[in-house]
Amino acid sequence: MPGGAVDLVATSDVEHVEAPVTLKAYMMCAFAAFGGIFFGYDSGYINGVLSMNYVIHTYENLPYSDDTNTAIWALPSWKQSMIVSFLSLGTFLGALIAGDCADFIGRRTTIISGCGIFLAGVILQVASTNYKLLVAGRVIAGLGVGFVSAIIILYMSEISPRKVRGALVSGYQFCITIGILLASCVDYGTQNRLDTGSYRIPMAIQMLWALILGVGLFLLPESPRYFVKRGQLDRAANVLSRLRGQPVDSEYIQQELAEIVANHEYELQVIPQGNYFNSWFNCFRGSLWKPNSNLRRTILGTSLQMMQQWTGINFIFYYGTAFFKQLGTISNPFLISLITTLVNVCSTPISFWTIERFGRRPLLIWGALGMLICEFIVAIIGVTDGQNHKAVSAMISFICIYIFFFASTWGPGAWVVIGEIFPLPIRSRGVALSTASNWLWNCVSFPKFLLRNSMR
Ligand code: BGC
């Protein structure tokens, strides 16, 4: 392999390859999970904002009066859908573009650029008083979120020590849930304001997450696998040494690097790189019937993310407040929405342990079963006795149990798996395609006008 003056020590004992995980190394890898706050907050804050009376009046050009009973008013469903879905459209495109950038300019630089694009989108949103600017801001911010969400997973999976990789990537999902919770709290705090602060404060706070992530990553090292892919072994050894807290010439660093290089060289023989189009085309090569072909991996990654969205979780996090409001039997829909996000946060850490203890597959199977049962019960209650107070309380309890199953299984599981299944020559594209699939299905599964019947 060209480019490096590093003497590589090969090993066949994979258990002894990696250095012990020091607290500093752990914290460095865990910091990237902060990107989840960014992702979660951005997708979560809009839920409450769209139900705020001041927002409804401003965007619909309605005169505002304190004594008007506006509780029954809501933004037209198609406008809510447009505002929500355009972020996902931007993220879909952003994730795909980011897959390219991550190989050309590096994982870390791509994420930092995503933060910059996102900031531009947020400024437009904060400045908006009409739909056009708001939607434009959401699409641009979405591009930034797409960059960050696709490449953070790649970056975290590549820098984390193998032993704790699953738990660390689950930490990313945990941060997504904290982001959604923070968004609910901020919405809760500003919902009754009678000025533009009601929506501008929740929007502007997002900038903080982008700044923290961008600056933090600036101080963190690039992924060693990116340097190996570019043939810069000296730089790969240096960043690995920073990440593992061991000297460059230590056996740990030499052995781990040797393993990365050996894997990459083997994978290059199996998947020759070729030109630009080839590098995308490689993701679809191989037989559909061979479990380890690239095609099968790409189908697995994209369909896992699709199924994660098809669990329907975002109905709760995007439209929960509006849904609870329109049930007509709940006195404080914002509070119920806040509770659902709390259940999401508290259930996710269970996966830190279970994902390593039981493995990815069993977790996904049991989680799906749990959600299926809860969804059936919620649907049955909804269509049989949906206006009865007690029935509605039972329905909300089952929604919470359903969230518990999602948060402890499919939420983190889908991200952990896509970070692990792709070989290095197609990893950035594979993860980007899978993340884009998440956003695509996120976008097409939740246009509210399709859900109108469930919302009376
Ligand atoms: C999903 C998001 C969802 C979140 C909820 C993530 O894994 O990709 O769409 O909003 O979990 O916690």
Side-chain angles (χ1 to χ4, degrees), residues 51-53 56-57 64-75 321-322 324-328 330-331 333-334 456:
S51 298
M52 289 177 186
N53 287 338
I56 297 168
H57 285 79
Y64 197 94
S65 138
D66 254 348
D67 49 43
T68 314
N69 177 12
T70 53
I72 46 154
W73 291 8
L75 291 181
T321 310
F324 297 132
K325 194 172 177 180
Q326 290 181 29
L327 280 177
I330 292 174
S331 56
F334 276 91
R456 278 204 296 151

Side-chain angles (χ1 to χ4, degrees), residues 39 173 176-177 180 308-309 314 317 344 406 411 415 438 442:
F39 171 149
Q173 171 68 17
I176 296 182
T177 65
I180 298 175
Q308 196 217 43
Q309 290 303 309
N314 284 323
F317 297 128
N344 195 27
F406 174 86
W415 295 109
N438 176 295
N442 183 312

Side-chain angles (χ1 to χ4, degrees), residues 81-99:
S81 306
M82 194 177 63
I83 297 168
V84 170
S85 300
F86 267 69
L87 179 100
S88 315
L89 183 72
T91 43
F92 169 75
L93 296 173
L96 285 181
I97 300 169

